[in-house]
Amino acid sequence: MSGTKAGPKAQVTAEPLDLTGWPRARAARRLRFIRDYILTPKGEGALKPFKVRPWQREIVTGAFAPGIRTALVSLPRANGKTALAAALAVAELFVGPPSAEVLVVASDQRQANIALRMAKRMIELNPDLAERAMIYADRIVVPENDATMMALPADPGALHGWDPSLLVVDELHVVTEPVWEAVTSMSGKRPESLTLAISTPSTSPDCVMFRLVEHGREGTDPAFFLREFAAPDGCATDDRAAWKIGNPALGDFLAEDGLEAARRTLREPVFRQLRLGQWVSGSEAWLPFGAWDACAAPDLGTPPDGSKVVLAFDGSASGDSTALVGCTVGPDPHLFVAGLWENPGDRGWRVPREDVDNAVALAFDRWDVVELAADPWGWRSEIEAWATRQGERRVIEWNTAAAQRMAPATDRLYQAVVTQAVTHDGDPRLAAHVAHAVAKPTTLGDLIVKDKRNSPRKIDAAVASIVALDRAAFHTNNQPRRRAASFR
Ligand SMILES: Nc1ncnc2c1ncn2[C@@H]1O[C@H](COP(=O)(O)OP(=O)(O)O)[C@@H](O)[C@H]1O
Ligand SMILES: [Mg+2]
């Protein structure tokens, strides 16, 4: 054994902990251990028993449910992420599987050491644990269980050759793709093991963590557990009810005045990210924060059959997304998604052209479609077929790459959104596309673009919305007006 700066005992002589009658289920066993053995190391309630809050119990139960291999918990700062992870690490050492191996990985060694230090402190605070553990500078060893806990630097080279039963990633949001790859390559060798990542959201959704959050939100992976705590998107920064939604520890071990002080001193996007748990898109986001959500009118949904609408189509030639967005024609324009086909993340995915074709036909059957404006890129033959089927007059080509038309149309939607002169159906996929849109100033006005070329953060439905509103405005202004009354 190396580095004995902390002066560990030469050997452990105490009998192993008596666990007769303890639950076998992973979560229940750990919760019992924390209740019986862990004291709060510092902060609110320091030196008192560590009381697992109901929302923390939910996290533990979900993360340690049978079959879960990866758990991701998104929580704002100071909601006890590191403390809970440390308590679970100590539980793993004492009541986990034989030869438990607990690794803590973080963006850097210093951050990883925080959890290790907290775990050490938890052990030192309880003589029953302290006499059964050997505490070294760089690790904790519990001989009765042949268990070890270590903190590792987030260096892909250092992350091979381990066989963790519990791998804690503290602050996943700063972990890079190569590090995450190394993490996943070393986990999962045992019949039961868990990678537990706990983190605030990142400064930008362009990262490993957001990819995993999206994976979890899909809800299709039975081995993945996701729990997110965030204030509702678009809430005011001083909305204390929203604070509470995002911060389960608020008013408990997290003081409200601390959060208020942070609100006054942090830049708004940083406050939202770190203290409200919100995903903040880049500062160059096209729309002001929350503006799109403020226009949501989900009650209106898609317009009733027979309504007068325009449709806008932005198709992808290959593996991108394809959007069909409608807008009602009339004094209160309402945008709605009539079809959206997105790559679920397969390299070989191709947009199902037949489905798109059917959706267009269906839309024409269902509503009084005044016009379909379609971007011709990659879809020319379909568009020609639609024109033949629906009438040349009703199907027009709209080149979304032409700034002369696109810039004023982009400005129109912008103005309409910020003045709440338009509503939309609240479709979360459309909201995501709008949130992905980054403003690109041109001499003709702003255009919207993706955050970078080949970015998976698609904007096609936002582009189609711009076209749809523009064409709806055109047809609203050119509608034959009904005379109010005649003088005869
Ligand atoms: N039930 C509890 N769960 C987690 N932390 C608690 C609890 N009760 C008190 N605390 C204290 O609250 C503080 C939480 O801080 P920390 O774990 O560093 O938060 P985070 O990692 O989320 O920023 C710690 O000082 C911890 O000891
Ligand atoms: Mg922490």
Side-chain angles (χ1 to χ4, degrees), residues 40-46 50-53 55-56 75-84 111 114 118 122 170-171 198 200 252-254:
T40 305
K42 64 184 178 87
E44 179 69 30
F50 186 100
K51 279 228 293 279
V52 174
R53 277 33 182 200
W55 56 273
Q56 291 177 314
L75 262 172
R77 190 172 272 180
N79 281 278
K81 292 185 297 299
T82 302
L84 182 63
Q111 176 70 23
I114 298 175
M118 252 199 213
M122 286 170 172
D170 197 0
E171 298 302 358
I198 48 171
T200 63
D252 182 2
F253 57 87
L254 167 57

Side-chain angles (χ1 to χ4, degrees), residues 154 156 221 305:
D221 182 352
D305 293 358

